[in-house]
Amino acid sequence: MGVVKGDQMILNIGPQHPSTHGVLRLEVMTDGEIVSEIRPHLGYLHRCFEKHSENVTYEQVIPFTDRCDYLAAMNSNFGYVVAMEELMEIKVPERVDYIRIIMGELNRIASHLLALGVYGLDIGAFTPFLYMLRDRERILDMFEYTCGARLLYNYMWVGGVSHDLPKDFEKICIGFLDYFEPQIEEYNNLLTYNKIFVERTADVGVIPADVAVSYGVTGPNLRGSGVKWDVRKDEPYSIYDRFEFDVPVGDGHFGTLGDCFDRYWVRMLEIKESVKILRQALKDIPGGDVHQMLPKKIRPPKGSVYRRTESPRGDLGYYIMSDGTPTPYRVKMRSPAFTALSVLDEVSRGWMISDVIAILGSLDIVLGEIDR
Amino acid sequence: MSKYFANIYDTVNTLWTGMRITWRHMMNIKRDNVTLQYPEERWPRPERNIGFEHEDYNVIRSRLHVDIDDCIGCLKCERACPVDCIKIDTIKAPTRGEDIPDVKHTGETSNGTKKAMVVSRFTIDMSECCYCNLCTYPCPEECIFMVGGPNSSKHPIDYEFSEFDRTDLIYQFAKKLSPEQKDGLQNPKPEAEA
């Protein structure tokens, strides 16, 4: 007897679907309610970032990097400027390094808060979303206080940052952290330990460690599968080697190692680690000028550089090729969300349609970065 | 069987924890935290913007504004713009640093720089602007800036600059020159005849 196969139905999720986190169309082949294959269709947000960069000067690329990963624009800027400084062999003042790390970690918290809140929303919990966005708002207020923009900052420049911190920024930031740390426990009580949420996420969409590595999945998604890999720790850039923090990995808290809950849980733990880094950075931030290393005209020597940094979504790499002119010859961006999306097909085979939403949400993709 | 009841107990317990948190927040709600029907009714413009002191802002990203009397037509902002939303045309002035009352051109900026160019066109398309603030840094006369915040002494903040027509978002800062005036600037008449 052969296997009896039912009629295949093709279900389109997206492009305008709230849980696709952008404009993504998923072509889902279903057998009854069981998913047999998923074909993601990309490109709805394609804005020619890489080609466009070849026509503008090096400093004009930075506003475009904001628009790739728009939920963590500081980290996008960070990767680009670190790569550029490696190419130009600039050593930035210590204060700039500290400011960048403070901004990067604040934005990591903001990005994770949105990821976790929206994940709850995908699963069906509305209240945590509101609470998390309320706290994210405070971080955005601090960004607005510093550089005037709330989402697309253009804050980090090659050789410095655009503005020094406002004079009482440290006090405001410490005040925020003191307020924020007890909130994490509240989120946990509200959403993480909720039995309905656990039932929806635990044991669902397991990514085994070898599959994650072979697909090139990075960031919290990889760490959720139990692989201890963090660029901040293993290949420290900027001054991340000075801070003490742990790299949280999934441990199959409520189910199997590498399930949706682990990926969610790793993000929650990472917020705590970011708070730890922020406290250390705010304690020993030195004084100084943030503009002294800004080059008058950015004209790097001939050559190329590849530098990867840890964005909230994972391993964000920039490959920059210079031919000695004020415009880059080639800018390539390695997007962590793209690889996270590529694993979706393999992971969600055999799960139900409603679980696909849970798996997609747990991968925390940003379509602006995938399509670039 | 015991697992079944343990599950139910867990669910009720964790739900109860969550509901207690929401209840506490509902009790602590501020009375005026309600949505307004925006275009008909609106909040009064706040004295302080987001809870921090207004003067302490490093910068604010709002509408771009140009003090055209201070502009020397150096085109630095036009070159800095990544999306090319600033467009400037200049005509060489007959004599450097002299007023031309005919076209309302002032010869000197407020910093005392003598102007060599008459700016005949200065448009910023705010619908294309990406608010990256890159154009304000190279300006030698600090005449292009984003309104409000630290610049509120120069220009009050403009929160909402919505228009019904897209072309209304193209802001013209230069004084309008008629074709004759342009022609007169480009081909000045010899002094002897006059």
Side-chain angles (χ1 to χ4, degrees):
Chain A
M1 278 270 290
V3 180
V4 180
K5 235 178 155 222
D7 277 350
Q8 266 212 346
M9 191 183 82
I10 299 177
L11 179 76
N12 273 304
I13 302 181
Q16 275 87 21
H17 193 273
S19 65
T20 51
H21 302 250
V23 197
L24 166 72
R25 178 170 153 236
L26 294 174
E27 204 180 328
V28 185
M29 317 280 173
T30 57
D31 178 12
E33 215 178 333
I34 309 295
V35 174
S36 53
E37 195 188 343
I38 291 185
R39 288 192 206 136
H41 291 262
L42 317 171
Y44 290 96
L45 273 178
H46 184 57
R47 289 149 298 170
C48 279
F49 162 68
E50 288 173 10
K51 189 68 192 167
H52 205 99
S53 310
E54 294 166 18
N55 298 318
V56 291
T57 58
Y58 284 99
E59 58 264 64
Q60 288 175 352
V61 175
I62 299 174
F64 291 109
T65 62
D66 283 336
R67 281 149 181 83
C68 288
D69 186 353
Y70 43 81
L71 295 179
M74 284 286 184
N75 295 79
S76 291
N77 288 354
F78 202 172
Y80 179 76
V81 294
V82 166
M84 278 304 295
E85 276 152 19
E86 213 167 291
L87 182 64
M88 294 174 73
E89 290 166 359
I90 294 179
K91 184 90 184 67
V92 293
E94 219 165 64
R95 183 173 173 82
V96 173
D97 274 330
Y98 274 92
I99 291 177
R100 282 181 183 170
I101 281 178
I102 290 169
M103 290 299 161
E105 292 304 318
L106 276 177
N107 209 335
R108 190 184 308 276
I109 294 177
S111 170
H112 280 342
L113 279 181
L114 190 87
L116 302 178
V118 172
Y119 189 45
L121 195 65
D122 288 350
I123 301 288
F126 192 74
T127 320
F129 170 73
L130 297 176
Y131 291 1
M132 286 175 188
L133 251 74
R134 179 197 61 195
D135 295 339
R136 175 175 175 265
E137 192 72 12
R138 287 187 151 215
I139 298 177
L140 298 190
D141 282 350
M142 281 194 278
F143 287 150
E144 186 180 356
Y145 189 37
T146 311
C147 65
R150 295 171 65 79
L151 206 60
L152 306 165
Y153 312 105
N154 185 21
Y155 181 61
M156 297 181 193
W157 286 358
V158 179
V161 289
S162 69
H163 301 90
D164 202 351
L165 293 179
K167 57 180 185 294
D168 53 350
F169 183 86
E170 281 93 339
K171 209 181 77 209
I172 291 172
C173 196
I174 291 278
F176 166 73
L177 294 179
D178 289 342
Y179 154 82
F180 179 67
E181 259 181 321
Q183 295 290 318
I184 300 176
E185 204 41 49
E186 196 178 287
Y187 303 149
N188 282 339
N189 284 332
L190 196 59
L191 182 64
T192 312
Y193 303 138
N194 188 304
K195 188 72 181 166
I196 301 170
F197 179 75
V198 169
E199 288 290 310
R200 279 298 299 276
T201 53
D203 287 326
V204 172
V206 179
I207 308 181
D210 55 332
V211 172
V213 171
S214 70
Y215 271 91
V217 175
T218 48
N221 299 329
L222 178 69
R223 290 193 283 276
S225 301
V227 182
K228 203 166 186 167
W229 170 260
D230 190 323
V231 182
R232 287 177 293 170
K233 204 83 174 175
D234 296 305
E235 262 182 37
Y237 55 96
S238 194
I239 51 164
Y240 268 113
D241 44 355
R242 291 189 200 174
F243 300 106
E244 266 183 40
F245 62 98
D246 301 327
V247 180
V249 289
D251 52 356
H253 202 70
F254 280 115
T256 332
L257 178 66
D259 57 6
C260 289
F261 184 84
D262 271 358
R263 289 193 283 280
Y264 167 90
W265 186 230
V266 162
R267 288 200 178 88
M268 195 59 106
L269 295 176
E270 253 180 39
I271 291 179
K272 284 186 189 168
E273 298 304 318
S274 290
V275 171
K276 229 193 259 177
I277 297 175
L278 277 170
R279 283 200 190 280
Q280 292 170 46
L282 286 166
K283 204 175 78 204
D284 21 273
I285 180 167
D289 186 14
V290 296
H291 291 132
Q292 71 190 58
M293 286 310 288
L294 282 182
K296 262 260 175 320
K297 191 152 206 175
I298 300 178
R299 196 181 284 238
K302 266 188 193 179
S304 64
V305 69
Y306 180 74
R307 179 71 242 181
R308 52 182 177 184
T309 54
E310 183 78 16
S311 94
R313 267 152 265 287
D315 194 338
L316 174 74
Y318 279 100
Y319 177 69
I320 302 167
M321 207 176 195
S322 157
D323 57 353
T325 55
T327 56
Y329 183 75
R330 175 96 171 91
V331 175
K332 160 88 184 125
M333 184 183 174
R334 185 239 185 248
S335 145
F338 183 81
T339 49
L341 180 63
S342 69
V343 82
L344 176 72
D345 174 37
E346 179 155 340
V347 172
S348 40
R349 279 185 192 189
W351 292 100
M352 292 207 185
I353 294 172
S354 56
D355 292 327
V356 170
I357 301 297
I359 295 167
L360 187 66
S362 76
L363 291 172
D364 183 25
I365 52 172
V366 164
L367 263 291
E369 195 187 45
I370 292 174
D371 293 340
R372 299 194 280 284
Chain B
M1 191 66 180
S2 66
K3 192 150 182 248
Y4 176 77
F5 283 111
N7 248 344
I8 292 177
Y9 173 75
D10 267 1
T11 312
V12 172
N13 195 17
T14 48
L15 267 182
W16 175 245
T17 320
M19 288 313 282
R20 237 176 28 221
I21 291 169
T22 12
W23 184 256
R24 206 174 61 230
H25 277 275
M26 207 182 89
M27 288 290 109
N28 293 340
I29 194 170
K30 285 185 200 144
R31 283 287 147 229
D32 50 352
N33 256 353
V34 284
T35 313
L36 287 183
Q37 299 301 318
Y38 165 63
E40 283 83 34
E41 42 178 352
R42 54 183 74 180
W43 289 108
R45 182 189 282 181
E47 282 300 310
R48 296 195 306 162
N49 212 351
I50 46 169
F52 306 127
E53 281 296 332
H54 200 79
E55 290 77 35
D56 287 349
Y57 278 97
N58 275 326
V59 68
I60 197 156
R61 307 255 175 110
S62 183
R63 187 165 68 76
L64 277 171
H65 188 79
V66 183
D67 278 342
I68 199 65
D69 283 342
D70 280 359
C71 179
I72 57 170
C74 63
L75 307 186
K76 277 186 182 167
C77 51
E78 191 185 17
R79 283 193 210 110
C81 183
V83 290
D84 296 336
C85 72
I86 304 175
K87 296 201 175 62
I88 306 172
D89 285 342
T90 53
I91 302 169
K92 200 165 181 302
T95 12
R96 189 191 165 111
E98 251 178 44
D99 291 2
I100 311 172
D102 190 27
V103 293
K104 290 186 190 139
H105 170 75
T106 45
E108 281 189 12
T109 66
S110 52
N111 288 354
T113 318
K114 288 183 171 152
K115 292 205 266 187
M117 295 286 181
V118 180
V119 181
S120 60
R121 175 193 182 205
F122 198 125
T123 58
I124 300 181
D125 189 345
M126 286 313 288
S127 61
E128 277 181 27
C129 176
C130 73
Y131 302 91
C132 65
N133 215 12
L134 279 175
C135 54
T136 61
Y137 296 101
C139 183
E141 301 293 326
E142 297 180 358
C143 70
I144 183 166
F145 56 87
M146 290 193 157
V147 298
N151 296 322
S152 18
S153 57
K154 296 189 203 167
H155 195 288
I157 192 163
D158 196 358
Y159 279 112
E160 19 184 77
F161 41 102
S162 52
E163 304 283 354
F164 281 107
D165 194 351
R166 207 187 91 91
T167 50
D168 291 342
L169 283 170
I170 302 174
Y171 285 80
Q172 318 253 2
F173 293 103
K175 282 140 197 161
K176 283 258 169 62
L177 297 188
S178 65
E180 295 87 56
Q181 283 171 329
K182 265 190 202 170
D183 198 49
L185 281 170
Q186 272 156 351
N187 317 302
K189 284 182 194 131
E191 289 287 318
E193 268 181 44

